[in-house]
Amino acid sequence: MLSPPENVIKRVKNLKDFSFNEIGEYESHYSKAHISVQLWPRKKPVWIEPMIPKLERDLQSLPPVILNINGFDFFDHQERPSIYAKLTSTPLTKVWFKHLRRYFSTPDFEPHITITRSIPNDAFNKLWPQFKNLEWNEQFKVDKLTILRREMIGHDKSYKVYKEIPFNNKLDFEVFANSRLKAPILPLRKVDMQQISLF
C-alpha cells in the first residue's frame, strides 16, 4: 500500500469518525488512510522474505509520486457502495502507477483513499449528501511502499508494518513521468510478473 502524510491521515480519520456519528459502525471505520496496491492473502513470511530484495531493487527505478486529492466520489457496488477521497488522475500519475503495477502483476485500478467501505444503501443515501459537495483539494507526496501483515491465528487481527521500501529520492517525479510518456512501457518477462504479489 501507499501511505499519505500525517495531515491527510488525520483528516481521513476525522471523516471516518464523522461518518460513524452519522450512520453508526461500518467496515473500514478504524482502518488507517492508505492507497491499496495489492492484496496478498494468507502468505507465510518465509515465502515473502526472498522476494523483498528484488522488490527493493525494482522500486529504486521509481521516484516518489506527487498526488492530488480532489473531493469525493463513490464506487457503486449496487447494494453496498463505498465512499472515497478522489485522487486526480493525470497522464503523469497514470504512467507512474503503470510502472508500479509491473512489479505486482496488478491489473489497472483507480487509486483512491477509502472513507467508508461497503455500507448499506440506506446509510449511503444518508451520508453521501454530506460528502457530495464537500471540498478537499490537497497535494501530497508518497515516498515509500508499505507492506502490512497480520496474524491469521490469535486475538490480534490488526495489520502491522512488515516492511517499508523507499522509492528513489534522487529521481524527480515530473521528469520521470514525462520521459516515460514518450517511451513505450515494455512488459516484464512472464516469470518476473508471477513472482511478486504483495499488499
Side-chain angles (χ1 to χ4, degrees):
M1 68 174 216
L2 305 176
S3 294
E6 280 302 319
N7 59 307
V8 173
I9 289 172
K10 185 175 180 181
R11 176 84 190 269
V12 169
K13 182 183 183 304
N14 290 339
L15 291 168
K16 286 173 176 282
D17 290 342
F18 166 79
S19 300
F20 167 73
N21 290 331
E22 291 289 311
I23 64 171
E25 196 56 85
Y26 60 91
E27 185 182 351
S28 83
H29 177 195
Y30 297 104
S31 66
K32 196 173 180 181
H34 66 278
I35 302 162
S36 295
V37 174
Q38 175 85 45
L39 179 63
W40 197 0
R42 301 182 72 87
K43 298 290 185 184
K44 294 181 179 179
V46 69
W47 298 344
I48 298 172
E49 287 163 5
M51 301 179 182
I52 297 298
K54 181 182 185 305
L55 186 59
E56 287 176 324
R57 291 192 301 272
D58 288 341
L59 294 185
Q60 280 301 292
S61 71
L62 289 175
V65 62
I66 307 296
L67 298 172
N68 289 277
I69 295 171
N70 180 23
F72 300 89
D73 207 338
F74 64 93
F75 293 120
D76 183 4
H77 305 306
Q78 301 302 321
E79 294 182 12
R80 303 186 73 85
S82 297
I83 297 173
Y84 61 90
K86 187 168 51 174
L87 299 174
T88 302
S89 179
T90 69
L92 300 187
T93 59
K94 283 181 180 178
V95 77
W96 188 92
F97 275 102
K98 190 169 186 177
H99 277 269
L100 177 67
R101 291 197 316 272
R102 295 176 70 217
Y103 305 124
F104 294 95
S105 306
T106 306
D108 196 8
F109 62 91
E110 183 173 348
H112 63 279
I113 301 174
T114 299
I115 307 297
T116 62
R117 178 183 294 115
S118 301
I119 58 176
N121 273 329
D122 57 346
F124 171 79
N125 291 334
K126 182 178 181 181
L127 194 57
W128 176 242
Q130 311 280 347
F131 280 90
K132 185 177 181 180
N133 298 313
L134 186 63
E135 290 189 11
W136 186 10
N137 295 288
E138 186 163 349
Q139 185 177 90
F140 63 93
K141 180 167 80 169
V142 177
D143 60 5
K144 62 182 177 290
L145 177 110
T146 302
I147 302 170
L148 300 180
R149 63 173 287 191
R150 69 174 177 176
E151 298 295 335
M152 300 303 294
I153 301 171
H155 297 292
D156 187 2
K157 296 291 197 299
S158 61
Y159 282 101
K160 294 180 173 58
V161 174
Y162 173 70
K163 183 80 174 177
E164 291 183 327
I165 304 176
F167 299 119
N168 190 340
N169 278 306
K170 294 179 181 177
L171 299 176
D172 178 85
F173 167 65
E174 291 196 8
V175 171
F176 168 88
N178 275 307
S179 68
R180 297 314 188 276
L181 278 174
K182 299 165 188 169
I185 299 175
L186 299 175
L188 293 176
R189 289 179 296 133
K190 190 172 183 181
V191 64
D192 292 337
M193 293 181 72
Q194 292 177 341
Q195 272 189 318
I196 303 294
S197 177
L198 303 177
F199 175 67

